[in-house]
Amino acid sequence: DTEVTQTPKHLVMGMTNKKSLKCEQHMGHRAMYWYKQKAKKPPELMFVYSYEKLSINESVPSRFSPECPNSSLLNLHLHALQPEDSALYLCASSQVVRGRAKNIQYFGAGTRLSVL
Amino acid sequence: ELKVEQNPLFLSMQEGKNYTIYCNYSTTSDRLYWYRQDPGKSLESLFVLLSNGAVKQEGRLMASLDTKARLSTLHITAAVHDLSATYFCAVPRGRGTSGSRLTFGEGTQLTVNP
C-alpha cells in the first residue's frame, strides 16, 4: 500500500477564514512533506517533517502553519490567506534512511484550494 | 542554487513514434527521480535513478542517468495515447537524512495523438 490520503479534495475559503488541510499515511514513513503547485507549474516544497519535528521551512509565510500530531498525520492550518495562495496543495511521505536508499516520495491526490 | 531544466516543455507526438525528454541539472547529485502527473491528479513515481549509468525500463518508458554530464533522459518507445501526461524530473538538494528536498523541472507536457 503506497497510499497517501488527503482531505478535503476541494476547499473554497474567504480571506478571513481559518481552515485546515489533512494528510494521512500508514506506510510507516517518518518524513512528510507539504508542496504547493500552481497550474501548469511544478510542485514547490513548503515544509518537511522528520520524526514529527519540523526540519525544513522553505520561507513560507506564517499564514500557513503546519502540524504533525503523530507519525501518520500531517496538517496544514490556513489563516488569512490571499487569492494568490489558490493552488493545489500536495502532501507526500517517504522513508528516512541513510546512504543510497531510494527515498521515493509518495504523493497524495492533493487539495485544490480556492481563496476568494 | 540548484536548477533543473527539462526540454522540451511541450511535446505532441503520434502514436507509434519514439521520442526523448531531457533533464539537465546544475549541481552534483547522485540520484534523480521521474514522476508522471495526469491532469488534476497526483504525482506518480516512475523511476528512481541512483547512480551514474543507471538505466531503468518500465513498459514503453526507459530512463537513464549520466551524473558526469548532469543529464537524465526519458525515452518513449512506440508511444500510445495512455502515455499522455506531464512528466517531471526531480533532483534532491543537500545530503541530509531528514527527508529529501526535491527540486522539480518545469515538466514536459506530452500529448500522444492517434
Side-chain angles (χ1 to χ4, degrees):
Chain A
D1 181 14
T2 56
E3 189 169 351
V4 177
T5 304
Q6 288 188 244
T7 55
K9 288 186 170 26
H10 301 276
L11 179 63
V12 179
M13 61 186 291
M15 290 190 285
T16 58
N17 292 158
K18 287 185 182 180
K19 297 286 185 183
S20 297
L21 311 185
K22 296 184 184 303
C23 174
E24 190 168 3
Q25 57 86 17
H26 296 287
M27 296 179 277
H29 291 169
R30 302 306 294 273
M32 296 186 77
Y33 311 78
W34 281 114
Y35 287 86
K36 174 181 178 179
Q37 186 178 26
K38 300 284 265 184
K40 308 287 188 188
K41 291 294 185 183
E44 294 178 349
L45 183 65
M46 300 173 72
F47 303 104
V48 182
Y49 271 82
S50 177
Y51 293 100
E52 297 86 70
K53 292 194 187 324
L54 183 65
S55 61
I56 297 171
N57 175 342
E58 295 281 76
S59 303
V60 178
S62 60
R63 58 186 184 268
F64 295 92
S65 175
E67 177 197 20
C68 191
N70 62 55
S71 61
S72 299
L73 292 174
L74 185 67
N75 297 321
L76 186 63
H77 302 297
L78 314 173
H79 174 54
L81 294 194
Q82 304 296 312
E84 59 264 29
D85 297 321
S86 299
L88 180 68
Y89 288 84
L90 293 164
C91 173
S93 71
S94 73
Q95 295 178 332
V96 181
V97 289
R98 293 181 181 275
R100 303 186 72 76
K102 290 183 179 180
N103 211 18
I104 298 170
Q105 292 187 24
Y106 296 92
F107 286 79
T111 294
R112 189 160 300 281
L113 174 68
S114 297
V115 182
L116 304 179
Chain B
E1 179 191 347
L2 172 61
K3 291 186 180 176
V4 182
E5 293 182 347
Q6 282 182 240
N7 99 79
L9 298 182
F10 299 93
L11 176 55
S12 180
M13 55 191 298
Q14 285 197 309
E15 280 189 329
K17 299 292 187 184
N18 304 333
Y19 209 84
T20 300
I21 298 169
Y22 297 89
C23 174
N24 289 92
Y25 53 97
S26 60
T27 63
T28 302
S29 178
D30 62 355
R31 69 190 63 194
L32 186 139
Y33 303 82
W34 283 97
Y35 285 88
R36 167 184 171 145
Q37 187 175 35
D38 291 292
K41 304 286 188 181
S42 185
L43 280 80
E44 173 191 356
S45 174
L46 293 175
F47 300 108
V48 183
L49 301 167
L50 292 177
S51 61
N52 188 41
V55 177
K56 294 278 185 73
Q57 181 159 9
E58 180 73 34
R60 300 174 189 276
L61 301 177
M62 183 172 70
S64 66
L65 179 62
D66 181 342
T67 58
K68 292 177 182 167
R70 299 177 187 168
L71 171 69
S72 179
T73 61
L74 181 65
H75 187 72
I76 303 154
T77 302
V80 292
H81 180 69
D82 285 353
L83 290 179
S84 298
T86 298
Y87 293 85
F88 292 99
C89 62
V91 177
R93 288 176 275 157
R95 286 184 167 271
T97 57
S98 59
S100 292
R101 285 166 128 142
L102 290 181
T103 296
F104 285 81
E106 287 292 307
T108 296
Q109 188 176 318
L110 171 65
T111 303
V112 181
N113 302 303

